[in-house]
């Protein structure tokens, strides 16, 4: 929500709401009734009850993970938490070094946990961090940049897995 607060034109999409886990179902119904087409739920990495409620409500679960040992260890806890939901789950490699194949080793370790790695990965790019300063997306900050292209691929992956035929403009 702090990211959204920094946006210059708050009338634009995306609409960002801060919702307590106990209010999630009500807010989801409200978003749907007002014409919302896609809803992304983002929880804090160590918020077990909120993460579980979001996972129960989700059509698709994406778990971001940096290719580092501490992140890989933390994924096990998240996977244990959401395993009861039976929802399709993918790990998205995030902040991947641009000049390294380290992510491949991490992807192999993740696959050994019996979870799929998303084919779209996000490289550590300045556009991601700089766009946050003004509450922008990577596409708004640098429309033709590599970060924008990576987000486009991730969005297409999500749309394909939630049965959207044509992804909306990102």
């Amino acid at each position: 929500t702090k990211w959204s607060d920094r946006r210059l034109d708050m009338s634009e999409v995306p609409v960002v709401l801060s919702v307590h886990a106990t209010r999630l179902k009500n807010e989801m119904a409200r978003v749907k009734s007002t014409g919302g087409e896609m809803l992304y739920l983002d929880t804090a990495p160590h918020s077990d009850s909120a993460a579980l409620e979001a996972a129960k409500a989700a059509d698709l679960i994406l778990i971001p993970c940096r290719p580092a040992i501490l992140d890989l260890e933390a994924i096990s806890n998240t996977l244990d938490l959401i395993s009861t939901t039976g929802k399709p789950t993918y790990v998205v490699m995030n902040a991947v070094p641009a000049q390294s194949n380290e992510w491949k080793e991490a992807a192999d370790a993740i696959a050994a946990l019996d979870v799929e790695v998303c084919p779209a990965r996000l490289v550590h790019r300045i556009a991601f961090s700089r766009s946050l300063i003004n509450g922008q997306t990577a596409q708004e900050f640098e429309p033709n940049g590599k970060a924008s292209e990576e987000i486009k691929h991730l969005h297409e992956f999500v749309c394909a897995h939630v049965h959207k035929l044509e992804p909306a403009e990102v």
Side-chain angles (χ1 to χ4, degrees), residues 91-153:
V91 173
V92 178
M93 299 306 302
N94 188 27
V96 172
Q99 300 297 320
S100 170
N101 285 330
E102 180 181 11
W103 70 270
K104 290 181 182 178
E105 293 174 21
D108 290 343
I110 291 166
L113 298 173
D114 200 30
V115 64
E116 291 190 58
V117 177
C118 177
R121 66 181 180 276
L122 305 177
V123 173
H124 181 80
R125 301 200 185 279
I126 298 298
F128 287 124
S129 58
R130 295 296 301 252
S131 65
L132 298 175
I133 294 168
N134 293 318
Q136 293 179 303
T137 64
Q139 297 88 335
E140 292 169 319
F141 180 76
E142 195 175 60
N144 298 315
K146 291 179 180 179
S148 180
E149 190 65 23
E150 291 168 6
I151 292 295
K152 177 183 174 204
H153 289 304

